[in-house]
Amino acid sequence: MANIKEIKTRIESVRSTKQITNAMKMVAAANLRKAQDRIIKARPYADHINTMLRSIKFKNATNLHSLIADVEEVGKSAVIVVTSDRGLCGSFNYQILKEALRYIKQNPDAEIICLGKKGFDYLKKRTDKIIKSYVNLFNEMNFSVSRDVAAQIIDLFLEQNYNKIDVLYNEFKSAIQQNIVVKQLLPIIPSESEEMSTLDYLYEPDEDTIIDELGKKYINVDIWRIMLESSAAEQGARMTAMDSATDNAAELIDTLTLKYNRARQAAITKEIIEIASGAEAIQQ
Amino acid sequence: MSKISLEVIQPTKCKVNDDYDHVIIPGVDGDFGISENHTPFITKIRPGILQLFLGNKLDKYAIHDGFVTVDNNQVTIVCDVIEQENEINLKRAESSKERAEKRLKTISGEIDFRRAEHALKRSLVRLGLGKN
């Protein structure tokens, strides 16, 4: 009889797990939609700043500001590793951390900045190069949070004389697919755009001031975009992971129910046999 | 009369996207007006009031930082924060003004000083526009 009871408890616990994973799936789907929406809304801002920066760089190609100068091979570098704050999102964090370890192996001197709790928890046991970490920032994600992060990263870049800062993050491809991206954050490389303005602008106050401010804005929006991408990818990964967890739970419930019914039937059969053979013994 | 088309882009949304006769923008080197066929121009914005004229209508916005590009009668403003009169929280502006004033008296570091100064300017712009 104990066996039947055990199976029953097990079914109950799997059922409640299934409810939780299902709810998490729904929440992730809703958050994903929100994050995607934000990515689209951030696009015009980023595009415009990029165009402005390009037009200035184009004009002022000889005397470049340190934020957009070309990379020299010597000097310190740093890498920003973007992970999630929470788990239960499949291989999302594992993939990015695997890539991070590879990066560290290739650039043993690179210092590390962690964005996201999972990456910090994982990397702090494996390396002592972490110089800064930001945890629990994806819960309350808004532009002012990313602006603070960006401002601190720019300060670091200028104070520590890094020759470059790379960033490692998950790019949102679709709900079931994330791409790992390694790209250079600083110095800025304005991306090629189709509509290249050839107009000779008048700058006020002067080009250097504009570049300085514009470069900072560019980093702001780049960090914001990276955080949005990463969080959309995270929600996508969580949605898929929770979807398959729900499926697995349903499957497990089916198997367990079958087992339970068999055990119940066996118990009943056994009892009937006992009664029947008892009755037979009395008749004889 | 031909018009200039104005677009205000923020990281989280596009706020204004309309045609106007004339706009006045607070630039770092002073307020400047833009009418049609203005020369191509890029400048930084200082905390101030953005005025948009259309016919005999005037829209006012509090704006705190960002950039303006003028290009072929297309004016594009990229900024982090912009507020219309009715969106301003006067109480918050008042308290941040007091806070900034207090900080300006006590702090010594240059960066902190500039930050507080900027906060004070922002709150003054908000109050100036909100109380009208």
Side-chain angles (χ1 to χ4, degrees):
Chain A
M1 287 310 145
N3 194 21
I4 294 183
K5 210 172 164 225
E6 258 167 40
I7 296 175
K8 205 165 181 187
T9 335
R10 187 89 201 281
I11 291 178
E12 276 315 309
S13 98
V14 174
R15 188 164 286 146
S16 70
T17 311
K18 185 185 154 199
Q19 256 167 17
I20 293 169
T21 56
N22 203 21
M24 283 184 76
K25 182 184 119 191
M26 305 286 200
V27 172
N31 284 343
L32 173 63
R33 202 167 315 132
K34 219 158 68 185
Q36 268 178 295
D37 207 36
R38 279 173 152 182
I39 293 178
I40 292 166
K41 282 185 176 149
R43 214 165 274 160
Y45 186 88
D47 285 349
H48 194 76
I49 287 186
N50 190 42
T51 324
M52 279 166 84
L53 209 57
R54 261 178 70 82
S55 77
I56 296 182
K57 191 185 180 189
F58 186 71
K59 194 182 166 192
N60 189 1
T62 45
N63 177 27
L64 287 173
H65 189 274
S66 58
L67 288 178
I68 59 171
D70 295 322
V71 182
E72 294 155 26
E73 276 311 311
V74 285
K76 288 199 292 182
S77 70
V79 61
I80 304 172
V81 180
V82 189
T83 55
S84 70
D85 282 327
R86 297 187 186 181
L88 290 180
C89 43
S91 60
F92 177 83
N93 287 315
Y94 172 71
Q95 297 288 355
I96 200 91
L97 290 170
K98 207 169 74 178
E99 190 61 39
L101 288 182
R102 190 179 308 147
Y103 184 96
I104 294 166
K105 215 175 223 172
Q106 276 169 8
N107 309 278
D109 294 328
E111 288 177 328
I112 300 160
I113 302 164
C114 287
L115 239 71
K117 188 165 179 296
K118 287 283 160 185
F120 176 64
D121 288 347
Y122 181 88
L123 290 172
K124 75 176 171 202
K125 294 180 204 134
R126 286 163 180 81
T127 164
D128 51 2
K129 293 276 188 193
I130 298 178
I131 46 159
K132 215 164 188 99
S133 65
Y134 301 90
V135 296
N136 295 331
L137 38 74
F138 289 100
N139 293 343
E140 283 283 322
M141 202 168 65
N142 53 42
F143 189 67
S144 61
V145 172
S146 82
R147 195 167 46 191
D148 292 346
V149 173
Q152 290 178 27
I153 287 174
I154 292 169
D155 284 350
L156 242 119
F157 178 75
L158 296 174
E159 278 165 23
Q160 302 276 322
N161 285 321
Y162 289 123
N163 70 340
K164 69 167 181 167
I165 296 185
D166 281 334
V167 58
L168 248 164
Y169 68 101
N170 271 298
E171 187 190 47
F172 176 78
K173 256 256 129 52
S174 72
I176 48 164
Q177 202 192 351
Q178 298 90 41
N179 274 2
I180 290 181
V181 179
V182 188
K183 85 165 203 173
Q184 183 179 322
L185 181 75
L186 274 164
I188 301 161
I189 313 168
S191 55
E192 305 284 321
S193 66
E194 304 258 310
E195 42 153 336
M196 179 61 211
S197 175
T198 46
L199 284 171
D200 199 7
Y201 289 104
L202 229 79
Y203 297 98
E204 196 183 288
D206 56 79
E207 283 158 36
D208 280 348
T209 322
I210 298 260
I211 285 192
D212 187 61
E213 286 288 322
L214 206 53
K216 283 176 185 165
K217 276 250 177 331
Y218 185 88
I219 296 299
N220 277 349
V221 72
D222 221 15
I223 298 268
W224 172 237
R225 199 184 50 79
I226 285 166
M227 282 173 66
L228 287 178
E229 287 277 356
S230 177
S231 102
E234 176 198 341
Q235 299 300 346
R238 177 166 297 127
M239 196 176 92
T240 354
M242 288 303 115
D243 187 41
S244 54
T246 311
D247 285 353
N248 287 343
E251 213 170 283
L252 193 57
I253 289 173
D254 283 352
T255 332
L256 285 173
T257 315
L258 195 66
K259 239 186 187 171
Y260 172 78
N261 286 338
R262 278 208 189 118
R264 194 176 58 101
Q265 210 175 11
I268 292 167
T269 318
K270 205 174 132 202
E271 217 167 301
I272 290 173
I273 291 172
E274 270 167 19
I275 292 167
S277 50
E280 223 167 283
I282 291 166
Q283 269 176 11
Q284 280 171 4
Chain B
M1 184 174 161
S2 64
K3 288 172 182 162
I4 46 176
S5 76
L6 178 93
E7 210 179 345
V8 178
I9 307 174
Q10 285 178 277
T12 47
K13 55 186 173 254
C14 286
K15 186 127 179 177
V16 185
N17 193 354
D18 257 323
D19 288 354
Y20 291 93
D21 296 329
H22 180 70
V23 298
I24 294 180
I25 299 172
V28 271
D29 289 350
D31 289 7
F32 59 94
I34 294 172
S35 299
E36 58 173 316
N37 298 329
H38 194 285
T39 185
F41 181 61
I42 289 181
T43 192
K44 206 167 120 45
I45 290 173
R46 70 174 159 77
I49 293 168
L50 172 70
Q51 299 171 71
L52 314 172
F53 296 88
L54 179 64
N56 46 17
K57 216 175 103 214
L58 169 62
D59 288 340
K60 283 184 183 174
Y61 291 88
I63 189 163
H64 307 298
D65 67 337
F67 291 93
V68 192
T69 330
V70 185
D71 185 350
N72 222 348
N73 290 331
Q74 165 75 45
V75 179
T76 316
I77 297 176
V78 284
C79 62
D80 295 348
V81 186
I82 181 166
E83 295 154 320
Q84 212 164 358
E85 280 166 74
N86 51 18
E87 289 170 324
I88 292 171
N89 186 338
L90 278 178
K91 254 187 213 147
R92 227 182 95 188
E94 193 80 59
S95 69
S96 79
K97 180 185 155 222
E98 279 162 20
R99 209 168 43 233
E101 277 169 344
K102 212 177 283 167
R103 279 206 345 251
L104 279 175
K105 279 178 200 147
T106 52
I107 52 179
S108 52
E110 203 214 339
I111 294 171
D112 287 341
F113 188 82
R114 252 189 292 161
R115 211 167 272 169
E117 192 188 8
H118 201 69
L120 181 62
K121 276 185 192 161
R122 279 202 306 261
S123 58
L124 285 176
V125 168
R126 285 198 175 110
L127 289 173
L129 184 58
K131 276 182 179 163
N132 274 341

